[in-house]
Amino acid sequence: MAAPKKCVLITSKSASLHNDILGGYIDDYVGLIEKQYDILWWDDFLKNPELGLKVEGALIGPGVRQMRLPENLDKFPNLKVAANFGVGTDHVNVKLYNSRGIKISNTPNVLNNAVADHAMGLMLAAARNTVEGHKMATDPNCTKWPNDTNLGVDVSESTLGIVGMGKIGMKVAQRAKAFDMKILYHNRTKRSDEEEKSLSALFCPKLHNLLAESDFVVITCPHTPDTDGLFGDAEFDAMKKTAILVNVARGKIVNQDALVCALTSGKIYKAALDVTYPEPLPRDHKLLTLPNVIFTPHVASATLRTRLKMISCMLENITAGIAGLPLPNEVHAKE
C-alpha cells in the first residue's frame, strides 16, 4: 500500500474559480499539486481549524489577501516550509516564519523571460499608443481614421535606462539590444565587463545620470528598504519631459503621489504600470483618471507555462523542506 500523501495548504476555493491574479489556483496548477500532495484549501481550514495539524507545507503569494497565515501559525504546528509564488518576498515576514522553524523559498529564474517580455510589451504599448489606438479602432462612432492624431514615439534607437540589472534586468537588456537601443543601467554593483559588452550596456553609478539621458526607464529592481520610494519628486525632475516610465517590479518603489504630479505637470510623458500600491488601487485613485497611464493587473509573469514552472519550483522546495533537506531556493531573513 502506498504511503499517504503529505498535506499542503493553498488559498481559498472561491479564489480559484477566478484567475491567479486574485491568488487562486487554476485547474492546471491544482492538478500539478495533487500529483504529489493532498490539498487543504484555506476555506476548509477556516471551517475546521483542526485540519491545520495535517499541514507540512504551504503555497503562499502576495495576491492571497484572504489567507491570514501569519496570524494563524499556531494552528499549523507541523508546518515546515512555505513556498512563495514569485521572486519578491517583501510581503513575507521571513523572520516570523523562521522563528517558528519554518523555512521560506521563492521562485527565481523561471519567470525572468515572461517579466522581461511584459516590460517590453508595456514599453511598446505606451510608446505607440496601443490602448488609445484600440479605443479609436473600436469606437462605434468612428467612420474614418484621423490623420496623424495618434502619433507615437520610436522605441528603436532610443535610450533605455534599466533600474536594477539583475536577471530580469539582463533579460530586458537582451530584448532592447534587438531594438538597437542604447542601454544604460543602474545597479548596486557593476556587471562584469563581459556581460556589459554582450549587451552593449553602460553602467551609471548615479541614478540621476541615467534618468537624465533615458527615453524609457524600466524598473526591475527588488523592493527593499533602500528602494522604497526610490522614485520621488527629485527623480521625476531629473527625467526627460518625453520619458516613459515602466514598472514591472513593485509598486512601493515609486512614490505614487509624486508620479501623479509628474504626469499631470508634464515632468514626464507617460507611465506604464504592472504594479501599484495597493493592488488594486482604490477606484477613486487619481492615477486611474490620467490619460497618460496604462495599467496591467500585476501579470508580468502570468503565462501558463511560466506559472506552471513556478508551481513546480515551489513543489521542489516544499518537498525538500518536508524531508528536512536544504531548500533549492531558500530566502533568508534580512538582518
Side-chain angles (χ1 to χ4, degrees):
M1 180 182 296
K5 293 180 181 177
K6 302 288 188 178
C7 181
V8 297
L9 177 75
I10 62 176
T11 186
S12 70
K13 290 180 181 178
S14 58
S16 71
L17 297 177
H18 302 289
N19 55 46
D20 62 297
I21 299 168
L22 303 175
Y25 292 85
I26 63 175
D27 290 342
D28 290 301
Y29 305 176
V30 172
L32 194 60
I33 297 167
E34 286 181 329
K35 287 181 180 179
Q36 299 184 49
Y37 294 101
D38 286 332
I39 290 175
L40 174 61
W41 296 92
W42 184 254
D43 292 343
D44 293 334
F45 160 72
L46 292 178
K47 295 174 185 175
N48 187 359
E50 289 186 5
L51 293 175
L53 294 171
K54 301 179 359 181
V55 172
E56 297 187 51
L59 284 73
I60 60 175
V64 189
R65 294 178 179 85
Q66 75 279 31
M67 186 171 165
R68 312 305 300 177
L69 183 55
E71 297 94 317
N72 288 277
L73 286 179
D74 288 339
K75 305 290 197 311
F76 301 95
N78 298 307
L79 181 61
K80 299 179 177 68
V81 55
N84 180 61
F85 194 67
V87 177
T89 55
D90 50 302
H91 59 285
V92 180
N93 189 336
V94 180
K95 285 185 179 179
L96 172 63
Y97 283 96
N98 288 172
S99 71
R100 302 294 189 96
I102 303 165
K103 294 182 177 181
I104 299 294
S105 69
N106 65 351
T107 60
N109 305 321
V110 295
L111 49 73
N112 298 341
N113 280 318
V115 176
D117 286 348
H118 197 71
M120 294 301 295
L122 285 175
M123 188 191 310
L124 289 163
R128 299 303 302 271
N129 298 322
T130 301
V131 175
E132 298 90 335
H134 170 78
K135 291 178 180 178
M136 183 188 299
T138 58
D139 184 347
N141 299 314
C142 182
T143 58
K144 180 181 179 181
W145 303 135
N147 292 326
D148 292 344
T149 58
N150 196 38
L151 289 176
V153 297
D154 288 303
V155 173
S156 295
E157 300 180 0
S158 296
T159 299
L160 169 64
I162 300 173
V163 180
M165 198 64 151
K167 292 177 181 177
I168 293 174
M170 294 278 284
K171 291 292 186 179
V172 173
Q174 289 174 0
R175 287 151 176 75
K177 184 179 180 182
F179 280 80
D180 297 320
M181 300 185 82
K182 178 181 178 182
I183 301 168
L184 309 176
Y185 75 96
H186 174 73
N187 204 43
R188 286 179 300 175
T189 56
K190 184 178 180 296
R191 307 299 303 200
S192 68
D193 291 344
E194 183 180 352
E195 288 171 322
E196 288 187 344
K197 185 176 180 181
S198 70
L199 297 170
S200 301
L202 301 174
F203 178 54
C204 291
K206 295 184 178 180
L207 175 60
H208 282 216
N209 290 346
L210 176 147
L211 299 177
E213 293 189 47
S214 298
D215 300 303
F216 300 89
V217 176
V218 175
I219 302 174
T220 56
C221 61
H223 176 242
T224 67
D226 290 335
T227 62
D228 189 86
L230 179 64
F231 278 73
D233 290 327
E235 286 67 39
F236 292 124
D237 286 340
M239 293 173 66
K240 294 182 177 181
K241 294 184 182 298
T242 54
I244 294 175
L245 177 73
V246 177
N247 189 4
V248 292
R250 284 290 187 268
K252 286 186 174 181
I253 296 171
V254 176
N255 180 316
Q256 290 178 164
D257 291 336
L259 178 59
V260 168
C261 179
L263 290 164
T264 55
S265 66
K267 288 183 181 180
I268 66 172
Y269 176 48
K270 269 188 178 180
L273 309 174
D274 185 53
V275 289
T276 58
Y277 182 77
E279 293 178 350
L281 286 173
R283 295 299 87 184
D284 60 350
H285 197 285
K286 180 67 173 177
L287 270 176
L288 298 178
T289 70
L290 302 184
N292 52 345
V293 189
I294 60 175
F295 296 92
T296 51
H298 203 151
V299 291
S301 65
T303 70
L304 180 58
R305 181 171 64 187
T306 297
R307 291 293 171 89
L308 287 173
K309 287 181 179 178
M310 291 167 69
I311 293 289
S312 295
C313 181
M314 294 169 80
L315 292 175
E316 288 177 10
N317 283 279
I318 285 176
T319 298
I322 290 176
L325 300 173
L327 305 190
N329 309 111
E330 184 170 0
V331 175
H332 298 282
K334 295 179 175 64
E335 296 300 329

